[in-house]
Amino acid sequence: MVYDYYASGAEDQWTLEENRNAFARILFRPRILIDVSKIDMTTTILGFKVSMPILIAPTAMQKMAHPEGEYATARAASAAGTIMTLSSWATSSVEEVASTGPGIRFFQLYVYKNRNVVAQLVKRAERAGFKAIALTVDTPRLGRREADIKNRFTLPPFLTLKNFEGLDLGKMDEANDSGLASYVAGQIDRTLSWKDVKWLQTITTMPILVKGVITAEDTRLAIQAGAAGIIVSNHGARQLDYVPATIMALEEVVKAAQGRVPVFLDGGVRRGTDVFKALALGASGIFIGRPVVFSLAAEGEAGVRKVLQMLREEFELTMALSGCTSLKQITRNHIVTEWDAPRARPAPRL
């Protein structure tokens, strides 16, 4: 039940497969004979310095994967010098995660029908030292995840959604289909709209990242509504099936943003080469989700450290072999995609 919850996508899972496959259709144009003896992967995310552009996406209920859950993930992220995003539906509270020690952390937010719950939670995250809100905007209803329906997925009885424990919203009822889908139908606000993005800015000073944008139109609206950044995401292919892979939607969003706010990507990143491809298409950084929960299940904190180290080393090698010594040297010319015009070749002489 737990493995299926983490691994599956919506309906036919076409987008789940496409999130991976689309990366494989982007090829490199490496530049050679460049001194790559020193490589700098550091960058700044919303003003915070990080060791690399590889960040941790919000994934729910991590204690289903490992007893230490979000604690282990938080410590691994901090050790790697990168940012963890804590899910609203975490099995550890914002205060508990903050207590693991220093680290730059963002908080992913679902907007509940009861806005007092939302306001309270945002204030708690801010008090606990979280630095930004990642507002998930692609989930007015939960996508149809057929494995969860078949398994009648529910949160195991010894766990709770810790952030909501005191509000009688911490438990998930058994259901004939997916317990999570029933929970979302009962609690999450389907009326969520752009005015709510503005409302959020009145209750917090934290910058707001809008997570779940895949079109130019919504990019422009997000910036108009005051978003500090955009996360190009299809929710790990778990919401609407047959949307494009995020790496395919990225360039459209980057062009519409016109450099006004940073654009990030999640979905399908499994290799350092994928990180490079996203940055070449204009992303300021990428978020990983499933690699975190799978490595957490395998080896707890050490597993998450390992996955961050592997991606870091692969990304560094990709930079070196492409002839880039800093992130700003990664350009669109370092890759070729299927939608690029064929490069002009001199006409053959007759």
Side-chain angles (χ1 to χ4, degrees):
M1 177 187 83
V2 169
Y3 172 80
D4 283 353
Y5 170 72
Y6 290 137
S8 63
E11 298 189 352
D12 295 331
Q13 304 191 107
W14 182 85
T15 297
L16 184 69
E17 210 175 325
E18 178 68 3
N19 267 356
R20 283 298 303 129
N21 292 342
F23 275 107
R25 299 194 296 267
I26 298 170
L27 305 180
F28 291 127
R29 301 183 68 247
R31 300 300 307 274
I32 50 157
L33 292 174
I34 292 164
D35 176 351
V36 290
S37 56
K38 289 192 182 68
I39 290 188
D40 178 13
M41 290 180 284
T42 61
T43 187
T44 304
I45 309 284
L46 300 181
F48 299 98
K49 200 158 189 226
V50 293
S51 68
M52 56 183 175
I54 302 164
L55 318 167
I56 293 184
T59 48
M61 305 178 257
Q62 290 179 10
K63 283 185 182 175
M64 294 194 308
H66 188 275
E68 289 177 17
E70 294 83 4
Y71 288 78
T73 303
R75 290 192 293 258
S78 180
T82 191
I83 295 170
M84 172 193 184
T85 316
L86 182 71
S87 169
S88 274
W89 295 336
T91 39
S92 316
S93 68
V94 287
E95 293 85 4
E96 287 171 335
V97 169
S99 77
T100 62
I104 306 153
R105 302 187 184 101
F106 294 172
F107 182 70
Q108 176 272 334
L109 182 68
Y110 282 119
V111 176
Y112 280 60
K113 289 174 182 171
N114 182 341
R115 290 309 160 88
N116 292 332
V117 166
V118 178
Q120 250 182 58
L121 190 53
V122 168
K123 287 186 174 73
R124 278 173 57 198
E126 198 162 9
R127 271 203 305 274
F130 284 71
K131 300 302 186 200
I133 294 285
L135 176 69
T136 299
V137 294
D138 57 14
T139 312
R141 299 174 55 174
L142 203 70
R144 181 178 172 83
R145 306 167 190 177
E146 290 175 347
D148 290 351
I149 296 169
K150 185 186 86 185
N151 294 334
R152 299 187 176 189
F153 172 82
T154 191
L155 186 62
F158 53 92
L159 295 175
T160 57
L161 301 179
K162 261 295 199 294
N163 287 316
F164 300 97
E165 200 172 32
L167 302 159
D168 283 341
L169 297 168
K171 282 289 181 197
M172 210 175 282
D173 296 326
E174 302 271 333
N176 282 327
D177 46 11
S178 156
L180 183 64
S182 304
Y183 180 85
V184 168
Q187 301 303 335
I188 302 304
D189 194 346
R190 296 183 185 186
T191 73
L192 189 69
S193 68
W194 291 111
K195 71 178 184 329
D196 298 295
V197 180
K198 294 200 165 106
W199 168 73
L200 263 181
Q201 291 163 74
T202 68
I203 65 165
T204 181
T205 58
M206 288 184 284
I208 294 162
L209 298 171
V210 178
K211 175 179 180 284
V213 172
I214 49 176
T215 64
E217 298 91 319
D218 283 337
T219 302
R220 290 188 279 268
L221 290 172
I223 294 168
Q224 275 169 31
I230 285 164
I231 304 174
V232 176
S233 173
N234 53 35
H235 209 117
R238 295 158 73 78
Q239 284 299 102
L240 180 62
D241 200 14
Y242 298 99
V243 294
T246 47
I247 195 68
M248 292 311 215
L250 176 61
E251 199 162 33
E252 173 181 331
V253 171
V254 167
K255 283 177 174 163
Q258 296 179 313
R260 290 173 289 179
V261 298
V263 175
F264 304 93
L265 169 140
D266 69 29
V269 176
R270 299 294 178 270
R271 285 269 185 195
T273 48
D274 300 333
V275 180
F276 187 100
K277 289 170 184 181
L279 267 61
L281 285 167
S284 293
I286 63 88
F287 288 85
I288 50 167
R290 287 187 185 87
V292 170
V293 290
F294 290 146
S295 59
L296 184 63
E299 260 190 287
E301 181 187 339
V304 180
R305 283 188 188 224
K306 180 81 174 164
V307 94
L308 290 168
Q309 180 199 347
M310 287 163 74
L311 281 169
R312 180 189 176 87
E313 288 172 359
E314 290 175 9
F315 177 53
E316 184 179 27
L317 182 60
T318 306
M319 284 178 69
L321 296 180
S322 296
C324 300
T325 61
S326 70
L327 302 190
K328 64 177 182 298
Q329 290 179 0
I330 301 174
T331 68
R332 185 64 174 77
N333 290 330
H334 283 99
I335 58 165
V336 58
T337 69
E338 43 194 9
W339 62 88
D340 289 338
R343 293 184 173 268
R345 291 194 187 88
R349 288 162 73 179
L350 296 172

